Structure formats: C-alpha cells, structure tokens
C-alpha cells in the first residue's frame, strides 16, 4: 500500500475541502455519528505511586473527523471573537492575549 505524505493532502486540498464541507454539513443537519462522540480515556502514568489516579494524566482518544471538526469550529469561534473585539474596542488581533 502506498504511504500518504503531507504532499498528497496539499495536492488534493480542493477535493478534500469539498468532501469535508459535505461531511460536516451533513453531520450538522442529520446529527453526529455515534463514533464522533465516543471517546476512550487512556491513563498515562506520570510518576509516583502507580495505583494513585492523580499520578496519571488522562488523554481522550476519539474519531479523527470529530477532532478535525472541533478544530475547525474553534478557528471560526476565535476569528469571530477577534472580529467582535476589534469592532467594539478597536484593537487588532495582535493586541489580544
């Protein structure tokens, strides 16, 4: 099987954007697939007593499309907030910390 590298995604960007837009719009109108909202919590041991839960870091493993959708939504929210702040306080995005 051919290995995918980042260049494959760059060259297919126009097609991928349309496909992802279709998938995300369908999920918004018809509901998210169950696999998008199911996560597996994996404890990663940090240090100390192995039995104590506080000595573990929790990571959540979920569907990659759900993560991509979340990232896209957060980008839109951030852009919206930055625009609102600029319009109301006349600040540029560089001034927001």
């Amino acid at each position: 099987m051919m290995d995918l590298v980042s260049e494959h995604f760059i060259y297919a960007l126009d097609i991928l954007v349309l496909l992802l837009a279709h998938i995300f719009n369908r999920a918004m109108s018809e509901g998210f697939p169950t696999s998008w909202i199911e996560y597996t919590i994996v404890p990663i041991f940090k240090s100390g007593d192995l039995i104590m839960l506080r000595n573990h870091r929790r990571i959540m493993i979920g569907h990659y499309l759900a993560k991509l959708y979340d990232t896209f939504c957060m980008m839109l929210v951030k852009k919206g907030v930055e625009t609102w702040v600029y319009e109301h306080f006349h600040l540029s995005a560089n001034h927001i910390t």
Side-chain angles (χ1 to χ4, degrees):
M1 175 164 30
M2 182 175 70
D3 291 327
L4 290 177
V5 293
S6 58
E7 287 82 15
H8 290 117
F9 294 104
I10 292 169
Y11 293 122
L13 190 59
D14 294 336
I15 295 169
L16 288 174
V17 167
L18 293 174
L19 179 62
L20 289 173
H22 175 75
I23 291 170
F24 293 162
N25 286 330
R26 190 167 174 186
M28 286 295 292
S29 64
E30 297 178 15
F32 294 98
T34 305
S35 62
W36 285 26
I37 55 177
E38 292 178 346
Y39 288 88
T40 300
I41 300 173
V42 180
I44 305 295
F45 179 67
K46 296 186 293 186
S47 64
D49 188 353
L50 189 61
I51 297 174
M52 301 299 291
L53 289 178
R54 68 174 173 256
N55 294 331
H56 292 76
R57 181 172 61 96
R58 295 172 305 281
I59 61 168
M60 295 177 63
I61 300 173
H63 198 282
Y64 65 93
L65 283 176
K67 178 64 177 170
L68 185 60
Y69 180 80
D70 179 60
T71 302
F72 177 71
C73 288
M74 290 304 294
M75 288 171 42
L76 290 176
V77 168
K78 181 181 179 202
K79 184 167 179 59
V81 168
E82 288 174 351
T83 301
W84 184 87
V85 167
Y86 175 75
E87 290 173 356
H88 289 82
F89 298 102
H90 305 291
L91 298 173
S92 70
N94 294 334
H95 290 96
I96 300 173
T97 56

